[in-house]
Amino acid sequence: MSFGVCYYPEHWPPARWTVDAQMMRAAGLTLVRIGEFAWANMEPAEGQYAWDWLDRAIETLAGAGLQLILGTPTATPPAWLTRAYPDILRVDANGRPRDHGTRRHYCPNSPTYQAYSAGIVTAMLGRYGAHPAVVGWQIDNEFGGGQTARCYCDWCAAAFRRWLQARYGSLAALNEAWGNVFWSQTYSDWAQIAPPGARVDKRSPSHELDYFRFSSDAWVAYQQLQIDLVRRYAPGRVVTTNFMGLFPDLDQYDLAAPLDLVSWDNYPTGNPERWRPRLYAPGRDSRRNDPTYAYDVGEPIITSLAHALTRSLKQRPFWVMEQQCGQINWGDVNPGVRPGSSRLWAWHAVAEGAAAVLYFRWRATRFAHEQYHSGLLHHDGSPDVGYGDHLRLEAERALLDEVMAAPCPPAGVGLLFDFADLWALQLQPHRADFGYLRHLFVYYEALQRLGIPVDLVSPAGDLSPYRLLIAPTAHLAGEALAGRLADYVAGGGTLLLGVRSGFKTPSNLVTADPLPGELQHLVGATVTDWQSLPPEVGWPLVAETPALAALGEDPAGFWVERLRPGKAQVLVRYAGGGAALTMNERGPGRVYYLGWYPPAGQARTLLAYLASQTGLQPIASDLPPGLLALRRAQFIFLLNFTDRPLTATPAGYTITVAPRDVWVGIAEQPDR
Ligand code: GAL
């Protein structure tokens, strides 16, 4: 188990570095990330490198026994570069270039920027690639952060045309895939195609979806440029980058694939505040913290979802590269953090699969945008609340070491998470409050409240470990996905498909087949009609199965689809006619289709039923709100995110967990 810290030696006089290094070691920290924004210090003028300060910082930290993660500084091109070569600047959808001033103002498709990036990274690697204390490299910082995932410059336009040529081969194929017969959009020359910027009204969703895919691929390629250099000049070192949890603009599976490990930046009081409006049901989506939880812990189920996605990118232990350890500066309220909360966040990360946690940051900065952001130390260099919490964790190190060495075997339930589906529904939600993440969260939250462990899974990933696979919506369903799902069911899996599944082709056209399109044969029923419903309208439900009687207590609302069963059995029907929930036996497997968008209570009822059908055991029964039950290999955890003691029953034992505290036990069954 490693704990570490993000450190900015360039912000402090060198004389202080020795004190800092000694204090880090005294606190038990072993990892330090440095360098990721220090390009102007490393190369103050073009081609003139200044390594003395960094040599000395690295020697000071290494001399104290610390290991280093070096960040490549490409998130912050220096002023001499942006002023001399303005073609590196990112251009927004309205055609306006971003200016120099903070960070992430560059375009990954600019050949000029690629060349200068390779230059600084190669120079760093030449200097430190073989340094024994430099154990890893972080590529850049938070790709896509600050709304920079998509650029609309001329370099991007040219690269987009090349990307389309490779994808479609011919203009005829592209015109057909995008449905360009609509509104005279047919292209007769590749040069006619431009990025779908904001100067066009009512853009083609196929064109836009491909631009989202292309933009994501551009970052993957830009990242690869740097990975190749690290592999070449620093063999054997760990390569990662820091992800942003539920950040939706880039395909995180693709970015994760070439990395040795995935890490993310966890700010429990900040991220959920931003994501809550995109996750909670309409009416519950304000930016105010849910009062169930203590005021300074954030919203743990949302944080859990971000941990789970990060873990699931490789289905392996991950790192938290930046862990909040006191108040942050970029939320609405930025609540102060009391002793105990930072420790709870570290345990939460560990329970979800973290193998290392690095605090952000060592010492609160005196400069610029993040002046009000805390660190382990106050501005004056004395210990802040997070430092004290870390000392508590050191006292628990034996147990932490054991847990952090544990693998992350797949959970019993997989939730299908597909970025192209997310983007397609973002482009055409049909109703403004239909969001892919919000829909997914209904199922995720229900499973968390039931205490049933769950992974997220890519449609291209290994589906076979999951007893239950839930596709809240398998929206863009081509032959490939249909085949993979059919194989999963043929292997004995239970598949639950939700509304809007199979509605579209991978290029974002509506299927010409009866719904759910490519998935119809799996479902054994046809969706005959669908409607988005205003809040006051509901379609009464009648359960045909006693075990699902509770589903009939409330009507279906929000989004409803009526099914006509073929081979499938009807489990719930609409009182007004048509099937609402069907089940199709296919060999050893089963396929359920849920024809309405369930609110939280109905989702819990349905998932508890499916868990019992598939033999999935909750970690604990009687889980009260605010208490999370998690599992990692043989370890089970109860984490209390409230200010009152809470009790639950894991494996038949009654356990009371103190406010903002954690309980760790060993599961009796090795089973998931
Ligand atoms: C992260 C970023 C850090 C710092 C931090 C502040 O998103 O990677 O550089 O800005 O937020 O909370």
Side-chain angles (χ1 to χ4, degrees):
M1 161 70 200
S2 304
F3 282 102
V5 74
C6 305
Y7 185 47
Y8 299 90
E10 66 273 24
H11 295 184
W12 303 101
R16 172 75 194 194
W17 299 347
T18 314
V19 179
D20 285 335
Q22 282 162 357
M23 283 180 80
M24 289 173 195
R25 286 301 288 145
L29 305 176
T30 53
L31 285 170
V32 191
R33 183 197 67 180
I34 62 171
E36 82 277 12
F37 299 126
W39 191 339
N41 301 68
M42 296 178 198
E43 191 181 4
E46 181 165 356
Q48 291 175 24
Y49 296 103
W51 299 119
D52 288 2
W53 71 274
L54 192 50
D55 290 352
R56 188 169 159 195
I58 290 176
E59 288 322 317
T60 305
L61 296 163
L66 293 153
Q67 295 189 313
L68 288 116
I69 308 298
L70 281 195
T72 69
T74 48
T76 46
W80 59 258
L81 179 55
T82 44
R83 292 297 179 234
Y85 304 99
D87 68 306
I88 71 167
L89 291 174
R90 168 183 186 267
V91 171
D92 71 16
N94 286 300
R96 289 175 309 219
R98 193 166 264 210
D99 200 3
H100 192 91
T102 54
R103 60 182 174 184
R104 304 223 60 78
H105 39 290
Y106 72 89
C107 167
N109 283 312
S110 158
T112 313
Y113 197 62
Q114 290 168 1
Y116 279 90
S117 300
I120 185 66
V121 173
T122 306
M124 273 183 95
L125 283 159
R127 191 98 186 162
Y128 307 112
H131 195 294
V134 177
V135 297
W137 291 76
Q138 173 187 300
I139 309 289
D140 204 284
N141 191 81
E142 295 191 339
F143 285 125
Q147 319 227 314
T148 58
R150 293 163 200 139
C151 169
Y152 296 80
C153 73
D154 291 344
W155 292 122
C156 286
F160 182 45
R161 289 191 277 268
R162 289 195 297 276
W163 185 91
L164 291 170
Q165 283 171 358
R167 187 175 178 89
Y168 293 108
S170 72
L171 276 174
L174 176 140
N175 283 323
E176 182 166 337
W178 285 8
N180 283 342
V181 64
F182 190 81
W183 285 352
S184 247
Q185 291 298 298
T186 306
Y187 294 107
S188 54
D189 189 324
W190 293 100
Q192 295 161 354
I193 305 174
R199 289 172 295 170
V200 174
D201 185 29
K202 299 187 178 59
R203 288 158 285 184
S204 153
S206 297
H207 184 172
E208 284 197 283
L209 178 61
D210 270 350
Y211 203 69
F212 287 12
R213 288 179 167 130
F214 153 78
S215 302
S216 184
D217 286 359
W219 287 108
V220 173
Y222 177 75
Q223 176 185 250
Q224 193 62 44
L225 178 157
Q226 297 199 29
I227 293 175
D228 289 346
L229 292 171
V230 179
R231 300 254 184 254
R232 182 156 163 211
Y233 296 114
R237 302 310 198 272
V238 164
V239 186
T240 187
T241 191
N242 49 344
F243 288 67
M244 291 180 285
L246 303 183
F247 181 71
D249 293 354
L250 301 176
D251 188 317
Q252 298 194 30
Y253 299 112
D254 291 347
L255 272 173
L259 298 170
D260 294 321
L261 65 87
V262 175
S263 68
W264 83 287
D265 297 344
N266 178 24
Y267 292 91
T269 70
N271 294 325
E273 193 176 273
R274 284 201 175 161
W275 297 332
R276 194 183 301 131
R278 277 193 259 145
L279 296 175
Y280 281 178
R284 191 191 157 202
D285 54 0
S286 85
R287 285 173 73 94
R288 290 236 314 284
N289 210 49
D290 182 333
T292 310
Y293 304 117
Y295 75 84
D296 60 343
V297 299
E299 303 236 359
I301 296 187
I302 297 180
T303 301
S304 262
L305 177 59
H307 278 312
L309 174 60
T310 310
R311 179 187 69 237
S312 304
L313 295 174
K314 282 188 176 291
Q315 199 51 57
R316 286 215 294 268
F318 60 91
W319 287 18
V320 178
M321 190 61 93
E322 298 180 9
Q323 172 62 58
Q324 179 179 350
C325 57
Q327 90 277 350
I328 58 161
N329 69 314
W330 46 269
D332 286 349
V333 175
N334 299 314
V337 172
R338 294 170 294 168
S341 294
S342 177
R343 167 180 170 265
L344 184 63
W345 292 330
W347 270 111
H348 189 187
V350 170
E352 287 281 11
V357 174
L358 285 78
Y359 300 106
F360 187 91
R361 49 197 298 148
W362 172 242
R363 178 171 172 180
T365 186
R366 296 178 49 232
F367 312 133
H369 180 64
E370 293 176 354
Q371 292 171 338
Y372 282 93
H373 199 296
S374 65
L376 287 179
L377 305 189
H378 289 291
H379 292 95
D380 68 5
S382 61
D384 200 347
V385 60
Y387 191 93
D389 264 33
H390 181 70
L391 295 182
R392 260 185 92 184
L393 288 164
E394 283 298 324
E396 302 170 303
R397 189 170 259 287
L399 181 56
L400 278 163
D401 281 348
E402 261 188 79
V403 178
M404 290 189 113
C408 297
V413 184
L415 253 186
L416 214 63
F417 184 108
D418 182 40
F419 284 90
D421 280 350
L422 185 159
W423 298 331
L425 284 161
Q426 181 180 316
L427 292 166
Q428 289 184 302
H430 191 64
R431 60 179 296 152
D433 48 8
F434 196 114
Y436 182 86
L437 280 172
R438 178 176 289 146
H439 189 202
L440 181 111
F441 193 69
V442 169
Y443 292 91
Y444 182 79
E445 189 179 30
L447 289 162
Q448 286 286 339
R449 293 240 189 263
L450 290 166
I452 295 176
V454 52
D455 292 332
L456 302 189
V457 55
S458 154
D462 181 8
L463 308 178
S464 64
Y466 301 104
R467 287 196 209 170
L468 173 62
L469 181 67
I470 302 171
T473 180
H475 191 54
L476 305 168
E479 258 175 57
L481 178 67
R484 292 180 59 75
L485 294 178
D487 289 347
Y488 166 74
V489 176
T494 296
L495 172 66
L496 170 65
L497 291 166
V499 295
R500 303 180 81 165
S501 288
F503 194 76
K504 292 228 182 165
T505 68
S507 73
N508 214 4
L509 306 184
V510 177
T511 176
D513 295 324
L515 295 173
E518 291 278 353
L519 308 176
Q520 205 197 346
H521 64 288
L522 276 175
V523 172
T526 306
V527 174
T528 55
D529 55 301
W530 54 268
Q531 287 196 25
S532 162
L533 296 178
E536 66 281 6
V537 179
W539 286 13
L541 293 164
V542 181
E544 300 284 343
T545 312
L548 288 170
L551 285 182
E553 287 167 11
D554 294 304
F558 196 77
W559 188 282
V560 289
E561 299 181 354
R562 198 193 315 266
L563 292 126
R564 185 179 57 232
K567 282 181 14 233
Q569 185 187 335
V570 179
L571 302 182
V572 179
R573 62 181 171 81
Y574 297 110
L581 171 65
T582 58
M583 191 273 286
N584 194 26
E585 304 255 12
R586 277 180 61 99
R590 289 178 167 188
V591 180
Y592 292 81
Y593 193 98
L594 181 66
W596 80 98
Y597 183 118
Q602 287 178 334
R604 274 210 292 282
T605 303
L606 176 63
L607 291 174
Y609 170 79
L610 291 176
S612 72
Q613 292 286 305
T614 50
L616 289 162
Q617 296 295 325
I619 297 167
S621 49
D622 308 323
L623 267 182
L627 193 66
L628 250 62
L630 297 171
R631 176 160 189 170
R632 173 171 177 174
Q634 72 273 31
F635 298 98
I636 51 178
F637 307 83
L638 295 178
L639 297 125
N640 182 348
F641 287 88
T642 77
D643 276 327
R644 346 174 259 295
L646 293 175
T647 301
T649 317
Y653 299 97
T654 299
I655 302 290
T656 298
V657 189
R660 291 182 302 126
D661 201 358
V662 55
W663 172 86
V664 186
I666 304 282
E668 280 168 5
Q669 300 164 7
D671 191 8
R672 300 191 296 272

